[in-house]
Amino acid sequence: MNVPLLDLQPQMTRFREEILQAVTDVIDSTRYILGPRVIELEQKIADYCGVPAAVGVSSGTDALLVSLMALEIGPGDLVLTTPYTFFATMGSIVRVGALPLFADVDEQSLNIDPDRMAELLAADQQGERRIKAIMPVHLFGQCADMSKIMDLAAQYGIPVIEDAAQAIGAECPFVEKDGSVHWKRAGSMGLAGCFSFFPSKNLGSVGDGGMVITPDPDFAEQLRCYRNHGAEPKYYHSHIGGNFRLDPIQASVLSIKLPHLERWHQQRRANSVVYHDLFKQAGLVGDPVVLPESAYRNAADAGAHDFHIYNQYVIRVPRRDDLREFLQSHSIGCEVYYPVCLHKQQCLADHGYGDLSFPVAEQAARDSLALPIYPELTDKQQTYVVETIARFYRS
Ligand SMILES: Cc1ncc(COP(=O)(O)O)c(C=O)c1O
């Protein structure tokens, strides 16, 4: 049996005609840059996330970059973030001339640990304050602990840019200033929430695309200006921005897919339940296979919320690399997200990060493995995946 890590074909087959028509409409319209299709998608994503404004951009990476630019983060500044994420989180920080300041991750969620953040923020108070932004990542489709992170941000007066590239539609219980608790969507709690529409995301385009959402209409205007070379009005450049515009072809494809997003999230969650049951029946849970646990499963009212959208289903296992090879040799797609923590990346070697130690993140880089979780995955395929893993550990 063949079980790819991700199969986009079923979605494409289902929406092929609609998508081709939408692409044709854009071509026939001769409006190829921004325009009504981008504006329409921006409004739909803003509504979906419960914020007033959204700005369509060229990728998730550019969503992060344009947010940092609009905050005028630059040389001499630090951005507090996680060492265990996709490279773009850090790449965007270094590209504006700032440097990342890493806080280790939480053992269970693998999201940035607010206790470690608090230590770094307190230490930063002692000299000239250098931390100018906080960039938590909602890894694999589960929100970081945003109540605690936003508390810290408020205490130190530092803006938060949420890297929600993997987490559109994920929710977490959020404690408001008056103590009331509301479920909020990834990206909607900080000053900026950045999404990626890379094809493998739960909401994926047919190329690159991204979006920044924000509760602040003035910041949205800043983002629009930076998205278009910092020009306002045309040919008058108050800032140096870039060409970070979302393509209307991608916007129209995303508008077709968006109404189906909740169903796809539900199917991924249902697949996670199937995995849980299968691993349990096989006697593998805990030892040797640690399953992903939702940080919010026990929160009041949790069942009603898509708190985890399982962009990736990541298990933790001993002999990870051997298991990976074994699965691949049995036609089962799997992937390591991520084999090298950001502080160990060669491109940072000259910046003195190599000697730092983030034990929780480093352990995750050694033992995490993503299994197929896409919506159309069948029970039979999941059974085959778990049986093959059981065979590996029995041999
Ligand atoms: C956590 C994270 N941040 C940023 C990005 C960058 O998004 P894009 O590939 O759309 O530039 C990704 C994409 O994989 C991601 O996973």
Side-chain angles (χ1 to χ4, degrees), residues 58-62 64 85-89 137-139 163-166 194-198 200-201 208-210 311 338:
S58 29
S59 67
T61 305
D62 290 340
L64 297 169
T85 170
F86 180 58
F87 177 78
T89 312
V137 178
H138 305 311
L139 197 69
D163 182 342
Q166 303 180 359
C194 301
F195 297 125
S196 163
F197 301 128
F198 187 80
S200 64
K201 299 296 190 273
D208 280 307
N311 181 241
Y338 297 92

Side-chain angles (χ1 to χ4, degrees), residues 187-390:
S188 69
M189 293 159 275
L191 175 63
C194 301
F195 297 125
S196 163
F197 301 128
F198 187 80
S200 64
K201 299 296 190 273
N202 288 27
L203 181 64
S205 44
V206 292
D208 280 307
M211 194 156 293
V212 187
I213 60 170
T214 177
D216 180 342
D218 294 335
F219 190 64
E221 281 318 302
Q222 287 282 89
L223 291 166
R224 287 198 178 92
C225 176
Y226 276 89
R227 168 177 75 174
N228 202 13
H229 297 290
E232 185 53 57
K234 204 174 176 185
Y235 303 127
Y236 291 79
H237 300 265
S238 49
H239 310 283
I240 295 176
N243 174 356
F244 304 128
R245 300 180 296 248
L246 178 64
D247 188 310
I249 288 184
Q250 303 304 338
S252 57
V253 171
L254 292 161
S255 281
I256 290 169
K257 287 187 165 192
L258 183 60
H260 305 275
L261 184 59
E262 282 305 300
R263 181 166 50 81
W264 293 329
H265 290 336
Q266 293 294 0
Q267 287 169 326
R268 285 171 182 265
R269 291 183 76 204
N271 291 344
S272 84
V273 173
V274 171
Y275 269 139
H276 184 272
D277 293 347
L278 288 169
F279 276 114
K280 207 165 165 198
Q281 281 159 27
L284 296 171
V285 175
D287 181 18
V289 180
V290 175
L291 301 181
E293 256 299 321
S294 166
Y296 307 114
R297 195 176 291 284
N298 297 324
D301 198 21
H305 292 271
D306 287 333
F307 42 84
H308 198 323
I309 63 153
Y310 291 103
N311 181 241
Q312 301 297 347
Y313 184 86
V314 176
I315 59 172
R316 315 271 308 266
V317 284
R319 295 164 55 210
R320 190 267 317 274
D321 292 337
D322 292 342
L323 174 63
R324 181 188 186 192
E325 237 173 72
F326 189 76
L327 293 177
Q328 285 169 345
S329 71
H330 287 80
S331 306
I332 295 172
C334 53
E335 189 54 274
V336 173
Y337 302 112
Y338 297 92
V340 184
C341 293
L342 295 182
H343 62 289
K344 300 275 186 201
Q345 294 290 347
Q346 199 190 338
C347 59
L348 274 193
D350 293 342
H351 293 278
Y353 286 81
D355 297 335
L356 298 177
S357 163
F358 301 102
V360 186
E362 286 160 28
Q363 182 58 36
R366 282 191 291 273
D367 68 12
S368 61
L369 187 67
L371 301 179
I373 189 76
Y374 58 90
E376 298 82 5
L377 194 68
T378 64
D379 286 4
K380 266 193 184 152
Q381 286 175 308
Q382 290 191 267
T383 304
Y384 176 62
V385 172
V386 176
E387 277 174 4
T388 311
I389 293 174

